[in-house]
Amino acid sequence: MKRIKEDTPTTYVLPKPRQVAGATAFSFEGEVAAGPQVSYQSRIYSFAGPDITLSARSGYAAKLGVTGIPPTEAEIEASIFLALGLTGSAKLTLLRWDLLDLTIFQVGVRLNLLEYRDKWTL
């Protein structure tokens, strides 16, 4: 009992709340495109073979981003584009089911006709 009574008092450290430094950001991004697509399907015994697809599209793409920690920043990107694409794939079908659908190659070119970018600090 003597040892417990003569022991030094316990000191407790209380945590001090601090504001955590960090970044809050969100963005919206989207693309709308339309255009013709031509496909060639070659089948060996009507169930296996290559497919080749050629497409041409025109469209609009946009992105809006905001960072919420002061200083608040907002950024916008928008573009109007033309795109050409060539895709080659191998397919294996049995009755109505696709057993294998493998893309062998995909080549594309995108040409931006009009592009707009701006950044603001609020």
Side-chain angles (χ1 to χ4, degrees), residues 59-81:
Y60 176 76
K63 180 180 179 181
L64 173 66
V66 176
T67 304
I69 299 295
T72 303
E73 294 180 352
E75 183 176 2
I76 187 169
E77 295 179 15
S79 64
I80 296 174
F81 64 88

Side-chain angles (χ1 to χ4, degrees), residues 86-109:
L86 179 65
T87 305
S89 61
K91 291 191 177 184
L92 176 63
T93 57
L94 184 61
L95 300 176
R96 294 182 184 173
W97 300 288
D98 288 337
L99 301 178
L100 174 70
D101 190 357
L102 179 66
T103 301
I104 306 294
F105 66 89
Q106 188 170 16
V107 179
V109 175

Side-chain angles (χ1 to χ4, degrees), residues 6 13 39 41 63 66-68 82 96 102 112:
E6 293 176 2
V13 178
S39 295
Q41 297 179 348
K63 180 180 179 181
V66 176
T67 304
L82 290 175
R96 294 182 184 173
L102 179 66
N112 286 334

Side-chain angles (χ1 to χ4, degrees), residues 20-69:
V20 177
T24 301
F26 63 91
S27 65
F28 299 102
E29 188 172 350
E31 182 176 303
V32 176
Q37 178 174 322
V38 179
S39 295
Y40 171 73
Q41 297 179 348
S42 174
R43 296 286 187 259
I44 301 169
Y45 300 113
S46 72
F47 70 89
D51 287 359
I52 295 178
T53 304
L54 178 65
S55 64
R57 304 179 303 142
S58 63
Y60 176 76
K63 180 180 179 181
L64 173 66
V66 176
T67 304
I69 299 295

